Amino acid sequence: MDELDKMLERARDAEVPTGLMGRVLEDALAVQPVPRPAPQPVWARLREAVGGWQGVGGLALATCAGFWIGVAPPDYLPGAAQDLLGAEYAAADVGAFGWALEDIE
């Protein structure tokens, strides 16, 4: 063990050649992986895909309007929907959910 200690002490005291340390550091930097940016969360990628916060706001507004029109359709909407579906469906008095629009007394 004493012999090993002496050998390590001599190695510690020895001068490193001037170009050796530079070449070792250059090689070490060459094999290190390139840092990549952290992956974005799914919601951030989705937000950017629809156009940022303006797109998210527009989608939220369209969703609310569509839901409201589905729950409480305007008076003219059933007639327009029946015109689009055709005359064979115009005789059926059916609402948006497929229920008959009969008054239950």
Side-chain angles (χ1 to χ4, degrees):
M1 225 23 158
D2 291 335
E3 198 172 310
L4 178 63
D5 288 338
K6 288 178 187 176
M7 188 172 60
L8 288 174
E9 188 175 322
R10 281 193 311 257
R12 228 177 296 147
D13 293 338
E15 288 287 325
V16 177
T18 55
L20 177 65
M21 190 56 73
R23 288 191 309 267
V24 168
L25 288 176
E26 187 177 313
D27 288 344
L29 288 174
V31 297
Q32 283 184 346
V34 177
R36 295 183 303 175
Q40 291 182 332
V42 173
W43 292 113
R45 288 184 287 170
L46 183 63
R47 182 184 66 229
E48 294 306 316
V50 297
W53 286 111
Q54 292 86 2
V56 171
L59 285 175
L61 179 65
T63 302
C64 291
F67 180 75
W68 185 254
I69 290 171
V71 169
D75 293 335
Y76 63 86
L77 191 60
Q82 288 174 353
D83 290 343
L84 287 174
L85 290 174
E88 64 269 8
Y89 293 107
D93 196 13
V94 178
F97 297 105
W99 299 321
L101 296 175
E102 297 176 9
D103 290 332
I104 300 174
E105 295 179 18

